[in-house]
Amino acid sequence: MKYPVREGLAKAQRSAVHLEMRDSYTPDDPEFARWRAGHRYGNDPEKLPDWWGSWRDLVTETTARGVVMRRARIVSEPVTDYIRYEHDLTFANVAAGELVRWLPRRKAADLALPGTDLWLFDGSSVLFTFFSGIGEVVDREWCTEPAVVGLVSSAFEAVWARATPHEEYKPV
């Protein structure tokens, strides 16, 4: 399947959690370039990029089924421009139904964390995402091994417990 995250969300019955740990993604993203040139969303859904509509619809449909969607981002401070861009756009994730928290990397130093970003669905299957050094997705891999799922789940919960809700986090 071309979009395995969509597959995971379609099958999820209770929970979907997303752990993000990079300071930059998709460096050639034209929307990021527009943002860097001064475009801001201003909490206005009408200004969002075209791709946003399909993600919003997916999140809304998923959460309407009772699936709790949580996203935690571990970020270096001072934050990169890309993280400022993500923070500026995150109002839309929250409006669609996601719960989002931010954790400065310094506060995660003593946590055992997986080596890459991931999604965990219903506490039973993990979708790892592997990136190139500059932040492009190079592969994804599913894992249902109980020991790995347990590690991922406990890592996410530790991050979530320390992280700051989106509405309170101010990028430094």
Side-chain angles (χ1 to χ4, degrees):
M1 172 171 225
K2 185 173 179 162
Y3 301 104
V5 172
R6 291 181 183 279
E7 175 187 329
L9 290 172
K11 292 178 181 178
Q13 297 177 1
R14 297 176 313 283
S15 66
V17 303
H18 189 189
L19 181 59
E20 297 179 7
M21 298 183 287
R22 294 185 55 85
D23 289 319
S24 180
Y25 297 88
T26 57
D28 296 329
D29 178 4
E31 278 301 314
F32 176 49
R34 283 184 64 218
W35 183 89
R36 289 185 81 184
H39 175 79
R40 295 296 182 268
Y41 303 102
N43 293 341
D44 182 354
E46 298 302 315
K47 292 183 180 178
L48 293 172
D50 291 340
W51 59 261
W52 172 252
S54 64
W55 181 252
R56 178 201 58 228
D57 294 348
L58 179 61
V59 171
T60 301
E61 172 190 307
T62 301
T63 57
R65 293 194 327 265
V67 176
V68 176
M69 288 183 67
R70 296 183 293 162
R71 179 185 302 257
R73 292 178 169 141
I74 299 174
V75 296
S76 298
E77 291 181 332
V79 300
T80 63
D81 280 350
Y82 195 90
I83 295 301
R84 287 188 192 285
Y85 162 70
E86 278 193 332
H87 189 270
D88 190 44
L89 186 60
T90 297
F91 77 91
N93 296 73
V94 173
E98 286 188 61
L99 304 171
V100 180
R101 292 188 181 181
W102 302 81
L103 182 64
R105 196 169 308 282
R106 183 175 296 280
K107 293 182 179 179
D110 63 340
L111 298 178
L113 297 170
T116 193
D117 289 15
L118 57 90
W119 282 88
L120 173 63
F121 301 99
D122 289 334
S124 62
S125 62
V126 179
L127 177 63
F128 290 109
T129 303
F130 301 100
F131 298 90
S132 70
I134 61 170
E136 297 167 333
V137 174
V138 295
D139 199 9
R140 290 189 170 95
E141 180 179 300
W142 286 98
C143 179
T144 57
E145 183 181 329
V148 174
V149 170
L151 170 71
V152 165
S153 180
S154 88
F156 183 87
E157 294 305 330
V159 168
W160 191 256
R162 289 187 186 182
T164 302
H166 174 70
E167 297 78 13
E168 298 171 25
Y169 180 74
K170 304 297 180 230
V172 177

